[in-house]
Amino acid sequence: MNPFLAPFKTPFGSVPFNLIQNDHFIPALEKAISEAENRIEELKSIENPTFENFLVELEKSGRQVGVVAGTFFNLNSAETSDELQQLAHEFSPRLTAYQNKITLDEKLFDQVKKVYDSTDLESLDTFDRMLLEKTYKQFKRNGAEASTEAKEAIKKIDEELATLKVTFGQHVLAATNAFELLITDEKDLAGIPDSVVQGARETAQSQEKEGWMFTLQYPSYVPFMTYAENRELREKLFRAFASRAYGNPEQDNREIVTRIAELRAKRAALLGYKSHAEYVLEERMAKTPAQVQSFLDELLDLALPVAKEQINEVSLFAAEKGAELPLQRWDFSFWSEKLKKSKYDFDDELLKPYFPLEQVIDGVFETANRLYGLTFKPNQEVALYHPEVMVYEVYGRNEEFISLFYADFFPRAGKRPGAWMTSYRDQYREGTEDFRPHISIVCNFNKPTSDKPSLLTFNEVKTLFHEFGHALHGMLSQGKYQSLSGTNVYWDFVELPSQILENWCYEKECLDLFARHYETGEALPEELLEKVKQSATFLEGYQTIRQLSFGLLDMAWHHRNDEPVADVAQFEQQAVERTALLPGVEGTNSSCAFAHIFSGGYSSGYYSYKWAEVLDADAFEAFQEKGIFNAEVADRFRENILEKGGSEHPSVLYKRFRGKDPALKPLLKRAGLV
């Protein structure tokens, strides 16, 4: 029996992964869509549509479609297979066609408009008002009032985009998995930390090969580029990483990225917008491409002189040690790490023994407990999609159930690179019942070896806190409607809860909760913590420019007309030339593996990482003023930010928490740019 065709009779209504087969997805999607469309036909025939009898029911109509689609896409990201990837080419266009059938339906929009025109907005609470306004805007913005010809064109564009985005992601994953660097001469391991070498040995053994296997997965790639003394091998690994899905005929994304950008521009034009960016930003805090460009330019002007000084400092240091100048891209991490060690007398390898994964998990849980009264209880009964996944029941101060929390930490062939938070069920209310969310974070940390636990770098500790911040946003939701709960907020606001939590990683009061040596139990020494703080702004100018380059590249692709890009590499070079601090490398390209904007949800929105840094630096000052675990500030942040989801404009929510608009100065101060 197809488990999607009946309510889940599982603990907390969790997804029964143990019962789901790949051949269940398409029939389940078809059935869910059919039921949703039948319900919508009923809603279209209501003679006197009201907020309650029409709009609330419209919100509920696609709930089962969301369950099937959410499960499918989450598995396709975290535990995919050839069969699942093949299914995606059928699944995504079918889902897109269903969504377009709703938003482009004139009669359905007429019903929405009747409710919108006849409802006194002041009589509604914030959740109801936002649902009405958002639904009305969604129909208008997606072509409900467009001509018949335009609607047909939009449908075709969206279906093609759905397929292209799937193919883009599959190419990046395949290119990442395809490359392997097998080292058989031990001298080529010089400089690489023992724990990384051991992991490479076990990776090789898992493939029944002799030697040490390095891959393009971050836990393998990053330490190799940072520590390996063999410059030729660093170059080889860098070129493989930086050319993923670029140039290889089997996985080439060049035509795909140009086609995606072209289709997005055409779609925006059909809807009356000058560009895809203008269309997207209408529903963002930044509002317009001009404001995003101004924001990026302001930060660029401030950071560029600092970044150039930092590049020069690393270059002079490297030259003194005999390096050839100018430094190449495969040299920079290596020499900057050596300079960092020279300046601050420590490197990330000194910190790793204090950050075994299990303790960091305990630490982030304890942080959530001290801030928001949450406790986490392991669950052995909820079905898993992979044996490495862990599941917890989350409870509040009064023992009330808050959420299910899934955690998936290690890389594997079926998981895309990077780290992200997602949900299997967003929180919502129906009558008096509060349906609590099922939240997941997915990362790619080093696996334990035969003689060591999984030891995290400090950056990986921040990554875990970052994704857990997103998870808190999802778990603590107290909304009415799924489409407005949890992380369903403006895209340039969604990173605030994640990025603010990274700040706790620099605070002794927080680190004392979990940073202990995995062998001796010794707490992280005070002098090491001070070095972490002293080095916090090390290369921050360079890192800021790197982030800004991605934001500028995103805007270049999406604030333009629909004229095809003739040469992806040349287009990219022109888009980011102001941020070029190191020599370019022929045969490499960022766009073709830029999943955030081409297969994820960040198109015209990559700037939001820096935008949210302004918010998080300003917001964290409120905690610093009264204590990082101050109950009054934490409650205010929870009640005004974490619980509210997208029920009000984020500027209103932020000002209610902070008492003022965000200021840029705290970020500049934290980053050492002033």
Side-chain angles (χ1 to χ4, degrees), residues 180-184 197-215:
E180 295 174 341
L181 175 63
L182 181 65
I183 292 177
T184 55
V197 170
Q198 178 64 20
R201 165 74 83 180
E202 294 184 8
T203 299
Q205 289 172 344
S206 71
Q207 298 188 29
E208 299 181 349
K209 294 180 180 179
E210 288 295 321
W212 299 266
M213 181 77 75
F214 292 88
T215 71

Side-chain angles (χ1 to χ4, degrees), residues 32 36 40 57-67 98 482:
I40 286 168
E57 294 301 313
L58 181 62
E59 159 81 6
K60 290 157 56 174
S61 64
R63 190 172 289 159
Q64 187 59 22
V65 176
V67 171
Y98 154 74
Q482 277 185 306

Side-chain angles (χ1 to χ4, degrees), residues 378-581:
N379 181 297
Q380 306 296 331
E381 298 177 4
V382 169
L384 308 175
Y385 60 84
H386 191 278
E388 291 173 347
V389 178
M390 297 178 284
V391 184
Y392 301 86
E393 300 166 27
V394 187
Y395 293 92
R397 287 192 178 97
N398 300 314
E399 298 300 316
E400 74 278 18
F401 178 70
I402 296 290
S403 175
L404 274 186
F405 173 59
Y406 297 78
D408 180 359
F409 291 121
F410 304 122
R412 50 183 177 268
K415 182 195 285 191
R416 68 177 171 87
W420 62 95
M421 167 268 181
T422 186
S423 70
Y424 289 96
R425 184 173 82 189
D426 290 328
Q427 178 266 336
Y428 65 95
R429 292 188 201 135
E430 196 162 290
T432 59
E433 189 168 2
D434 185 0
F435 289 84
R436 299 307 304 166
H438 300 169
I439 303 299
S440 173
I441 63 172
V442 187
C443 303
N444 281 279
F445 299 144
N446 270 313
K447 288 187 176 183
T449 64
S450 57
D451 60 351
K452 284 187 177 69
S454 174
L455 300 176
L456 305 190
T457 65
F458 184 67
N459 276 338
E460 287 173 330
V461 174
K462 290 197 297 180
T463 295
L464 198 156
F465 270 69
H466 178 103
E467 300 307 333
F468 192 77
H470 280 309
L472 288 172
H473 200 183
M475 288 190 284
L476 292 173
S477 177
Q478 292 291 345
K480 273 189 181 181
Y481 308 110
Q482 277 185 306
S483 63
L484 298 176
S485 71
T487 57
N488 292 304
V489 300
Y490 278 11
W491 211 259
D492 45 9
F493 190 63
V494 77
E495 296 296 334
L496 168 59
S498 56
Q499 291 183 183
I500 192 174
L501 203 64
E502 292 183 34
N503 290 280
W504 272 258
C505 298
Y506 291 94
E507 300 293 329
K508 184 177 188 302
E509 192 177 352
C510 178
L511 289 170
D512 281 348
L513 301 175
F514 66 94
R516 297 182 304 281
H517 198 286
Y518 78 99
E519 290 177 314
T520 67
E522 173 197 13
L524 183 70
E526 187 87 30
E527 59 269 23
L528 264 185
L529 175 57
E530 283 307 307
K531 288 173 182 178
V532 170
K533 291 182 175 180
Q534 289 168 13
S535 66
T537 59
F538 180 67
L539 295 187
E540 189 61 30
Y542 166 79
Q543 295 296 348
T544 296
I545 294 299
R546 184 172 180 273
Q547 283 291 87
L548 293 176
S549 74
F550 290 135
L552 290 168
L553 180 58
D554 173 27
M555 292 304 291
W557 277 111
H558 293 116
H559 188 43
R560 55 186 300 278
N561 59 31
D562 61 359
E563 183 180 340
V565 171
D567 186 319
V568 170
Q570 185 179 10
F571 178 84
E572 179 175 308
Q573 184 180 357
Q574 291 172 348
V576 300
E577 60 185 351
R578 288 187 296 159
T579 65
L581 297 170

Side-chain angles (χ1 to χ4, degrees), residues 102-158:
I102 294 173
T103 56
L104 297 174
D105 189 312
E106 289 182 31
K107 190 170 182 183
L108 191 61
F109 178 60
D110 285 342
Q111 296 285 73
V112 172
K113 194 172 187 307
K114 284 178 186 176
V115 176
Y116 186 80
D117 291 340
S118 64
T119 303
D120 176 13
L121 293 178
E122 296 304 315
S123 69
L124 303 177
D125 65 25
T126 55
F127 291 102
D128 294 346
R129 188 182 309 131
M130 183 60 79
L131 181 66
L132 179 55
E133 292 180 342
K134 185 177 180 180
T135 304
Y136 179 68
K137 277 187 185 177
Q138 184 180 17
F139 275 84
K140 281 181 69 73
R141 279 171 45 80
N142 284 287
E145 295 179 312
S147 68
T148 302
E149 294 78 9
K151 286 178 180 176
E152 286 304 310
I154 290 168
K155 286 179 184 177
K156 289 178 181 177
I157 286 172
D158 286 348

